[in-house]
Amino acid sequence: EVQFVESGGGTVQPGGTLRLRCAASGFSLSGYTIGWFRQAPGKEREGVACFSSGDERTYYGFSAEGRFTILRDDAKNTMYLQMNSLKPEDTAVYYCNVVGYCSNYGWGRPVDAWGQGTLVTVSS
């Protein structure tokens, strides 16, 4: 069974940093395109960062570009989202998941295996 467990969220001040962690089980992350997503209150879930297994490149949503970095540790079957220069608009529940593909032209559909997410609150 594919499972994701996200952790590392919390409350930080604007300009602060957080590193989110996603532990995967039931399969190996290696060889899959993986992504981080977030959902703010009253908004739809959006893609934040993606690591494409096809071209070994990373892709970021417009709001994350230049501030967030997606990392993967195959030995630990874990991926991370390093978030710097956080803004109040980054407040959301963050999730990780496998996605069909990602590119400069769009992202594929995530699989139906969402974890519980981890809450990030950016507030002064």
Side-chain angles (χ1 to χ4, degrees):
E1 181 183 5
V2 174
Q3 286 189 329
F4 299 100
V5 178
E6 301 91 349
S7 61
T11 300
V12 296
Q13 293 186 341
T17 65
L18 278 175
R19 174 174 283 208
L20 306 184
R21 179 177 181 270
C22 169
S25 62
F27 78 109
S28 174
L29 285 175
S30 177
Y32 285 89
T33 294
I34 53 176
W36 281 95
F37 303 82
R38 70 185 183 187
Q39 188 166 20
K43 295 187 177 181
E44 293 188 356
R45 191 173 291 165
E46 64 172 341
V48 175
C50 181
F51 182 93
S52 171
S53 64
D55 57 8
E56 296 284 312
R57 290 180 60 183
T58 55
Y59 298 91
Y60 296 91
F62 177 78
S63 61
E65 187 74 51
R67 299 187 298 126
F68 294 2
T69 303
I70 184 170
L71 305 163
R72 189 178 77 186
D73 186 336
D74 288 345
K76 296 181 179 180
N77 212 36
T78 298
M79 63 180 184
Y80 303 89
L81 183 67
Q82 177 67 40
M83 304 189 296
N84 300 328
S85 302
L86 283 162
K87 305 175 181 179
E89 50 264 43
D90 294 319
T91 295
V93 179
Y94 285 71
Y95 305 86
C96 57
N97 208 338
V98 170
V99 61
Y101 69 92
C102 55
S103 71
N104 285 327
Y105 305 102
W107 294 20
R109 179 186 294 274
V111 301
D112 188 20
W114 298 100
Q116 83 288 350
T118 186
L119 175 63
V120 172
T121 303
V122 184
S123 174
S124 56

